[in-house]
Amino acid sequence: MYDSIVSVDALSVELGGNPVLRDLDLTVAPGEIVAVVGPNGSGKSTLLRCVAGLQPPTSGDVRVFGRPPADDARFWGSVALLGDEPAWYPGLTAREHLELMGAVHAQARMTVDAALELFALEERADAPPLNLSTGQRQRLSLAATLLRPSTLLLLDEPERGLDTAFRAALAGLLDEYAGEGGTVLMATHDQDLAAIGRQVSPSGVSA
Amino acid sequence: MRTVRAYLRSRGRLPASLMDRYVSVFSLLMLIAVAGQPLSGMFAGLAVPADPARMGAGVALLALTLAGFLAAARAAGPVLLPGADASWLLLSPLNRRHLLGRTARVLLGVAVVAGALLGIGLLAVLGAPDQHVWRVLGALVVGVSAAVGGMALAVLGQASQSWRFWLTGAVAVLLVLAVVAVTGRLRTVLAIAASAPLPAVTAAAAGAALLSGLLVRQAWTSLDRIPTRALMAASTRAGHVAGAAVSLDPGALTWIAEDNHWRARKLGSRRWPSLPAPFALAWQDWRRLGRRPGRLAAMAATAALPAVLAQAGGSPAALGVAVLAGALAVAAMSTSGTRRDADNPALSRLAGVGLRPALAARAALPALLSGTWAALALAGVTLTATAPWAGAGHSLAAGGLLAGGSAWWLFGPLAAPALAAGALRMARRDPIDHSMPVLDTPGGAIPTGPLFWAATGPDLALLGTLPAAAALASAPADLTSFLVAQGVASVLVLAGYLWRARAGGGKAR
């Protein structure tokens, strides 16, 4: 067993000769919600990509569940990542994307009907995702991410395109997820969303 | 309009210098000198009576080619403008016919070249038993008239809905003609056409030219009436085509078409079947295919093309290429999930299914489709060779297949795993690497990036279907050893591909 879900030690990343992250230390405990905050270009998304194993660090060490992150089925079986909008599968409706996500995981966290209701997508369930509005597509992405079982949630600006009311509902959903023992690491510009967890800035702990 | 064009020219590239014109004329003369001898040889070779038993299949192929030409013209627009002209000039009060005149001339040039090729094809099918020069001219006039008239019809179809109906009717008639011709019912008509006296040939050519001329005149006057939204849509589509073909990835084109197709559809959600995780992920391609029955039917119909080719006298090598390339194309049409995950793996990461199990499950549909298609195609070729209406006219290739017995269709299912591996490799290839070197050859510069891109996928399919290719090329009497070798090669290629598959970029995806 491990004491921390995510452990980042002296992480530095340079992109095209530009230092994006410098000597960053971060530890995320099981069941904790951590919000990475800061202005555009401060390295929030880069940090998340390093934790997801999608960006190799220039120096330093990143460990998730006690080992370096790897882009393989074992890692993604425990980690759910929400970044930019995914490329939706052609020929499937919004509901079928959620059905697919439920079918490939043995123990889904909620039923498809419950997810559609929770994310206010019932009326648009039969629409291809590309026919949904930007906010609805973001809700569908969030529904797919939260429907599947996971131990660690990595969310890059989950509030993108969402209306104010749903941002508040999302905060509640993430709280509930953490209450079930899940860990959340998210990059966000939304102050209310960030307030539900411990806030860190890539340049140093801010709160 | 002239003033605007002159202004744009003055701001654009430099006008052609005397040296540029000299190089153009010199290249043209060189081309005539180099191609003149083979061309005259080819026409002399065509100056013989044609084989009546092959005429039906030949006419069917010509009808399908013309139908494809018309369908492509309709899909392209065909009247379109460069992106900048569409944005700036189309919405200005300039004379619309003058603005579109340059495009119209380009379309005419394309149609004339396509028509000349069609005319040569017509000559090859009907032959020239006497009066060679006049029959060559007659075939060329009929071919060019058909293509130019077809292009004019496509332009008219862009301007009005009623002409669009006529264009659809013309394509449908050509498809029916192809089906009727391939069944041999037109044999008498074609025999009469092939031996028609010169006045009849002249009358047919003159009639075709007159009809084509009338359509062109009508199309020219209709340029003013093409709705701006139709021109904008065609120009935007052409911009996407040019952008995708030149700078990005031809695969981007298919996504544009695919996404537009589903955006316009009303779908009904259905329950996802309870399957093991990799198969549940792969089910997306099955469901997508089930929602496009028209595409499935078209796919099945194209399985008859190799039989038509064999009947028209195609060589064994051409027949082999048609069967294997057709089966690979069918397999590649059912790998959309793999392609999407290779382009953007966000959903596959959320699904959390291992790469190898996912690829293995996703190989099932392309293997089933390509195996069935190849089996149908090969069965069609052998059946055509034995059909009573084929008579003694079946080709060398079909005759060779006949010698091998009726087991040829087994190559379909046995080659299927290798074809599926090739299709998956195509689906997962990287975008074109434009940084790869350009080879300078006497025939011009050849960029190696697009070449390597195009070969990724077909290379693996070819490797895995070598026994079938060898059998199709040599047409042996006993197929057993070739069938066993094909089964082993297929399994080895698919297993090897799955074993070497790895996530992320790299050439060996």
Side-chain angles (χ1 to χ4, degrees), chain B residues 280-431:
Chain B
L281 184 65
W283 187 250
Q284 171 265 326
D285 271 322
W286 293 75
R287 182 153 290 182
R288 167 179 166 271
L289 190 71
R291 285 183 168 155
R292 301 197 75 168
R295 176 178 278 197
L296 201 59
M299 224 185 262
T302 55
L305 284 179
V308 178
L309 185 66
Q311 213 192 336
S315 66
L319 191 62
V321 169
V323 171
L324 296 177
L328 180 63
V330 166
M333 286 169 85
S334 56
T335 54
S336 69
T338 312
R339 281 188 57 206
R340 207 130 265 196
D341 285 347
D343 289 349
N344 181 340
L347 276 184
S348 71
R349 285 181 185 135
L350 271 184
V353 177
L355 179 64
R356 286 190 191 103
L359 281 177
R362 280 173 161 164
L365 183 60
L368 177 73
L369 288 177
S370 63
T372 310
W373 191 92
L376 283 174
L378 288 169
V381 173
T382 32
L383 278 177
T384 313
T386 54
W389 37 263
H394 61 71
S395 70
L396 180 68
L401 294 196
L402 195 61
S406 57
W408 280 94
W409 67 272
L410 281 172
F411 276 114
L414 288 174
L419 292 166
L424 289 175
R425 184 166 150 83
M426 275 171 85
R428 301 186 71 234
R429 63 190 161 186
D430 290 331

Side-chain angles (χ1 to χ4, degrees), chain A:
Chain A
M1 202 54 198
Y2 26 77
D3 298 331
S4 59
I5 296 285
V6 176
S7 154
V8 175
D9 185 24
L11 174 68
S12 293
V13 176
E14 280 187 16
L15 296 177
N18 266 352
V20 180
L21 291 172
R22 260 190 214 152
D23 282 331
L24 180 80
D25 295 326
L26 175 69
T27 305
V28 184
E32 193 179 12
I33 297 177
V34 173
V36 186
V37 294
N40 294 136
S42 61
K44 301 185 297 297
S45 299
T46 306
L47 171 61
L48 250 66
R49 289 180 62 77
C50 286
V51 173
L54 304 177
Q55 172 68 50
T58 308
S59 65
D61 187 40
V62 178
R63 288 183 179 270
V64 180
F65 308 121
R67 66 176 83 86
D71 188 8
D72 57 24
R74 189 170 136 180
F75 180 78
W76 295 117
S78 312
V79 178
L81 169 71
L82 174 75
D84 291 333
E85 183 181 345
W88 305 102
Y89 289 132
L92 298 193
T93 63
R95 171 190 274 276
E96 284 169 338
H97 275 90
L98 297 182
E99 293 247 7
L100 164 62
M101 213 42 77
V104 294
H105 292 286
Q107 299 280 324
R109 286 186 63 241
M110 60 185 96
T111 63
V112 171
D113 286 328
L116 286 169
E117 190 186 340
L118 212 51
F119 289 87
L121 289 167
E122 287 157 305
E123 286 181 12
R124 305 289 287 144
D126 283 343
L130 287 176
N131 284 3
L132 301 179
S133 71
T134 309
Q136 286 171 328
R137 290 205 298 275
Q138 179 69 355
R139 274 190 264 152
L140 181 62
S141 303
L142 281 164
T145 311
L146 284 164
L147 179 139
R148 53 151 290 179
S150 59
T151 314
L152 171 64
L153 261 187
L154 297 175
L155 307 174
D156 190 3
E157 297 185 28
E159 74 278 8
R160 200 180 300 156
L162 299 179
D163 54 52
T164 317
F166 195 81
R167 287 182 188 202
L170 177 63
L173 288 169
L174 296 182
D175 241 349
E176 202 178 302
Y177 176 85
E180 293 169 13
T183 306
V184 181
L185 177 61
M186 64 174 160
T188 181
H189 289 290
D190 187 290
Q191 280 308 311
D192 294 336
L193 204 54
I196 64 169
R198 174 164 64 97
Q199 295 182 39
V200 300
S201 161
S203 53
V205 177
S206 67

Side-chain angles (χ1 to χ4, degrees), chain B residues 410-422 460-461 463-468 482-497:
Chain B
L410 281 172
F411 276 114
L414 288 174
L419 292 166
L460 194 65
L463 183 71
T465 55
L466 272 181
F482 285 93
L483 287 170
V484 171
Q486 181 53 64
V488 173
S490 261
V491 171
L492 284 179
V493 161
L494 181 59
Y497 175 71

Side-chain angles (χ1 to χ4, degrees), chain B residues 14-430:
Chain B
L14 290 171
S17 67
L18 199 63
M19 191 62 185
D20 292 336
R21 289 178 202 279
Y22 168 74
V23 168
S24 304
V25 172
F26 182 75
S27 306
L28 194 66
L29 288 176
M30 279 298 286
L31 186 72
I32 292 169
V34 170
Q37 182 64 27
L39 268 180
S40 60
M42 186 189 74
F43 279 119
L46 293 175
V48 287
D51 180 353
R54 290 183 189 169
M55 280 182 192
V59 166
L61 283 180
L62 288 178
L64 287 177
T65 309
L66 188 56
F69 176 73
L70 293 185
R74 188 174 62 173
V79 180
L80 47 90
L81 288 167
D85 282 6
S87 304
W88 296 102
L89 303 185
L90 197 59
L91 304 177
S92 66
L94 290 169
N95 183 315
R96 180 66 65 82
R97 203 180 297 162
H98 289 174
L99 176 62
L100 299 175
R102 184 186 285 180
T103 308
R105 284 195 292 278
V106 171
L107 290 179
L108 185 67
V110 169
V112 166
V113 172
L117 293 174
L118 206 64
I120 294 169
L122 190 64
L123 197 67
V125 170
L126 296 181
D130 51 12
Q131 307 276 358
H132 304 151
V133 176
W134 293 110
R135 283 187 192 276
V136 168
L137 273 178
L140 286 177
V141 169
V142 169
V144 170
S145 301
V148 170
M151 184 64 93
L153 202 56
V155 172
L156 286 165
Q158 206 175 355
S160 89
Q161 194 60 39
S162 55
W163 280 106
R164 185 165 272 261
F165 173 77
W166 282 105
L167 179 63
T168 312
V171 173
V173 166
L174 285 168
L175 292 178
V176 171
L177 177 69
V179 173
V180 174
V182 84
T183 54
R185 289 178 203 283
L186 292 180
R187 185 172 293 180
T188 321
V189 179
L190 292 176
I192 294 169
S195 57
L198 204 54
V201 173
T202 314
L210 184 69
L211 185 64
S212 168
L214 286 175
L215 283 171
V216 168
R217 188 165 163 270
Q218 195 75 17
W220 176 252
T221 51
S222 80
L223 282 181
D224 273 340
R225 296 197 303 270
I226 299 179
T228 308
R229 63 172 187 281
L231 285 171
M232 288 296 276
S235 305
T236 312
R237 202 159 48 228
H240 283 314
V241 171
V246 174
S247 61
L248 296 165
D249 181 350
L253 284 181
T254 52
W255 283 141
I256 295 164
E258 180 89 35
D259 288 342
N260 284 343
H261 173 84
W262 295 114
R263 267 201 192 105
R265 288 282 175 291
K266 191 168 167 58
L267 301 174
S269 301
R270 277 184 277 157
R271 285 205 80 75
W272 213 254
S274 201
L275 293 166
F279 288 98
L281 184 65
W283 187 250
Q284 171 265 326
D285 271 322
W286 293 75
R287 182 153 290 182
R288 167 179 166 271
L289 190 71
R291 285 183 168 155
R292 301 197 75 168
R295 176 178 278 197
L296 201 59
M299 224 185 262
T302 55
L305 284 179
V308 178
L309 185 66
Q311 213 192 336
S315 66
L319 191 62
V321 169
V323 171
L324 296 177
L328 180 63
V330 166
M333 286 169 85
S334 56
T335 54
S336 69
T338 312
R339 281 188 57 206
R340 207 130 265 196
D341 285 347
D343 289 349
N344 181 340
L347 276 184
S348 71
R349 285 181 185 135
L350 271 184
V353 177
L355 179 64
R356 286 190 191 103
L359 281 177
R362 280 173 161 164
L365 183 60
L368 177 73
L369 288 177
S370 63
T372 310
W373 191 92
L376 283 174
L378 288 169
V381 173
T382 32
L383 278 177
T384 313
T386 54
W389 37 263
H394 61 71
S395 70
L396 180 68
L401 294 196
L402 195 61
S406 57
W408 280 94
W409 67 272
L410 281 172
F411 276 114
L414 288 174
L419 292 166
L424 289 175
R425 184 166 150 83
M426 275 171 85
R428 301 186 71 234
R429 63 190 161 186
D430 290 331

